[in-house]
Amino acid sequence: MPKLSTDTLWELAAAEVHTRENGTREEDGGEPVSERTVFLMGSKAGGKTSILLRCLERDEPSKPTLALEYTFGRRARGHNTPKDIAHIWELGGGTSLSDLVQIPISTNNIRTLSVILILDLSKPNALWSTAERLLLEAQTQVQKAFSQVERVRKVQGGGKQQASVQPAARVLPKDYPDRELINPFPIPLLIIGSKYDLFQESDSEKRKVFTSIKSETLMSKTKTFFSHLAFGQERGKVVSCDTSKPLIIPAGSDSLSQIGSPPSSDVDITSLHARNPLDLWKKVYEHVFPPESTSARLELKDPAKDSQYIEPQIDAMRAQKDQELEQYKRDAAKSWKGLELES
């Protein structure tokens, strides 16, 4: 929608809403420009920022993510063509700040949103619980956003039949072999196993999973998947199911029958009483990699108390202000006691 100099504030706001709902806008030449949103979350200090910088081809040192951070990327489709835009959110702190997913996952971008979950393969004992917690939080917020959009659609439709806002790409084909056994994530989801260079040094029987920024081949594959989600480029057709190598499994390219039963020689699978194949894999996985204790998994809610965000000058000033606040509270308490005695 071309913007004229005579547009009022309300007209500009309406154009912005149109842009967000349709995921495209038009530059001065009138050619549509795609706008997508990508939300990165995952293991604490799992390499999310490093992977993102490589995908965006930014040559700068990575810094610890403080809570929730935003950036964007632009990429042209070809010579002399408009640049598509990717709005990128990154959640720090592992699972400790998972309630912040409600900010990047909203009704404004739900139609063009993708999620990237990055899991630290060098810390397998925390991997499954991290994935489970973050995916549950994200899926709950996604469903909430879809429900809100659906309610607005019905109100605006005035009772008329309109197409559902649920993405058609998320609907499984009727002949998909695992249709009744799985609950697919409602929006595009990419799961990356980071620090593969550290993981591959572990016991060969425990190596079954994906990327390292130190491997240019793996990083190239990661960039391809990222560009597909962020800029709509071709996903590529590479598939690798060899567990002796990094796995590359595009959505829909495998099935539970192909995956088979969990490889475990020191546990009786029939005694695990699993409800479904995923539950069986979880029980065997946790047998090989016992989950961390509750106390070990306890993470700080306040980033200011997290050791990875240490800033000596700021922390010293904060400590001074905290002392001044405590002193003020004590003085105020004495004043109130004096007033009570006088009365």
Side-chain angles (χ1 to χ4, degrees), residues 34-106:
S34 170
E35 290 195 32
R36 291 178 170 84
T37 301
V38 179
F39 174 38
L40 283 79
M41 59 182 185
S43 303
K44 183 177 180 180
K48 296 183 294 296
T49 304
S50 297
I51 292 174
L52 176 59
L53 291 175
R54 289 293 301 275
C55 288
L56 293 176
E57 299 180 350
R58 294 181 182 174
D59 185 15
E60 58 185 82
S62 62
K63 299 179 181 179
T65 302
L66 181 61
L68 184 67
E69 295 187 1
Y70 168 84
T71 187
F72 68 93
R74 293 166 62 90
R75 186 167 300 177
R77 303 175 204 170
H79 185 62
N80 290 331
T81 60
K83 291 186 177 181
D84 294 332
I85 301 172
H87 303 282
I88 304 167
W89 294 87
E90 182 185 351
L91 178 68
T95 60
S96 63
L97 302 172
S98 58
D99 53 342
L100 293 180
V101 301
Q102 60 186 304
I103 297 175
I105 302 177
S106 69

Side-chain angles (χ1 to χ4, degrees), residues 92-129:
T95 60
S96 63
L97 302 172
S98 58
D99 53 342
L100 293 180
V101 301
Q102 60 186 304
I103 297 175
I105 302 177
S106 69
T107 56
N108 292 331
N109 61 25
I110 197 62
R111 299 173 188 267
T112 60
L113 176 68
S114 300
V115 172
I116 298 179
L117 175 65
I118 299 177
L119 301 172
D120 188 347
L121 299 179
S122 68
K123 299 177 181 178
N125 298 79
L127 187 149
W128 195 290
S129 60

Side-chain angles (χ1 to χ4, degrees), residues 307-321:
S307 59
Q308 71 171 321
Y309 303 128
I310 291 177
E311 293 284 352
Q313 293 181 334
I314 296 177
D315 294 341
M317 182 62 69
R318 169 71 182 268
Q320 178 182 336
K321 293 299 180 181

Side-chain angles (χ1 to χ4, degrees), residues 67-336:
L68 184 67
E69 295 187 1
Y70 168 84
T71 187
F72 68 93
R74 293 166 62 90
R75 186 167 300 177
R77 303 175 204 170
H79 185 62
N80 290 331
T81 60
K83 291 186 177 181
D84 294 332
I85 301 172
H87 303 282
I88 304 167
W89 294 87
E90 182 185 351
L91 178 68
T95 60
S96 63
L97 302 172
S98 58
D99 53 342
L100 293 180
V101 301
Q102 60 186 304
I103 297 175
I105 302 177
S106 69
T107 56
N108 292 331
N109 61 25
I110 197 62
R111 299 173 188 267
T112 60
L113 176 68
S114 300
V115 172
I116 298 179
L117 175 65
I118 299 177
L119 301 172
D120 188 347
L121 299 179
S122 68
K123 299 177 181 178
N125 298 79
L127 187 149
W128 195 290
S129 60
T130 297
E132 202 168 47
R133 170 76 179 277
L134 290 175
L135 287 177
L136 178 60
E137 292 278 359
Q139 185 163 2
T140 300
Q141 183 60 27
V142 167
Q143 298 291 6
K144 184 183 298 183
F146 273 137
S147 298
Q148 292 173 347
V149 173
E150 188 76 8
R151 284 197 295 269
V152 172
R153 181 189 67 84
K154 291 180 179 179
V155 171
Q156 293 179 341
K160 297 180 181 179
Q161 293 293 327
Q162 294 184 11
S164 172
V165 296
Q166 296 286 351
R170 298 295 92 198
V171 179
L172 291 172
K174 292 183 179 180
D175 58 349
Y176 190 76
D178 303 324
R179 183 182 176 87
E180 303 300 325
L181 295 175
I182 62 175
N183 179 26
F185 203 72
I187 60 177
L189 169 67
L190 171 63
I191 301 178
I192 298 176
S194 64
K195 302 185 181 180
Y196 184 80
D197 56 312
L198 300 177
F199 183 70
Q200 67 182 129
E201 297 174 1
S202 63
D203 184 346
S204 60
E205 288 300 315
K206 296 181 179 180
R207 294 201 311 266
K208 306 286 179 193
V209 209
F210 170 78
T211 194
S212 169
I213 61 172
K214 295 183 179 181
S215 169
E216 290 302 321
T217 301
L218 291 179
M219 197 63 237
S220 176
K221 299 297 187 298
T222 303
K223 287 181 179 180
T224 299
F225 281 102
F226 176 85
S227 297
H228 171 67
L229 297 178
F231 303 107
Q233 297 185 359
E234 287 294 325
R235 185 182 67 182
K237 300 180 180 180
V238 177
V239 179
S240 176
C241 300
D242 185 352
T243 56
S244 65
K245 301 176 182 179
L247 299 179
I248 303 176
I249 313 292
S253 61
D254 64 351
S255 65
L256 293 172
S257 60
Q258 290 176 295
I259 295 172
S261 300
S264 181
S265 58
D266 57 346
V267 60
D268 181 9
I269 294 180
T270 60
S271 66
L272 296 179
H273 306 293
R275 296 168 294 178
N276 51 55
L278 179 61
D279 190 38
L280 176 62
W281 271 92
K282 177 182 178 180
K283 291 179 183 297
V284 173
Y285 182 92
E286 292 183 340
H287 177 81
V288 179
F289 301 108
E292 297 175 341
S293 63
T294 304
S295 59
R297 292 200 310 266
L298 185 61
E299 298 184 76
L300 296 169
K301 282 288 185 182
D302 185 357
K305 299 178 181 179
D306 195 320
S307 59
Q308 71 171 321
Y309 303 128
I310 291 177
E311 293 284 352
Q313 293 181 334
I314 296 177
D315 294 341
M317 182 62 69
R318 169 71 182 268
Q320 178 182 336
K321 293 299 180 181
D322 286 343
Q323 292 177 357
E324 293 176 358
L325 177 60
E326 290 301 320
Q327 184 61 48
Y328 174 80
K329 290 179 179 179
R330 288 193 291 270
D331 293 343
K334 291 179 182 179
S335 299
W336 280 108

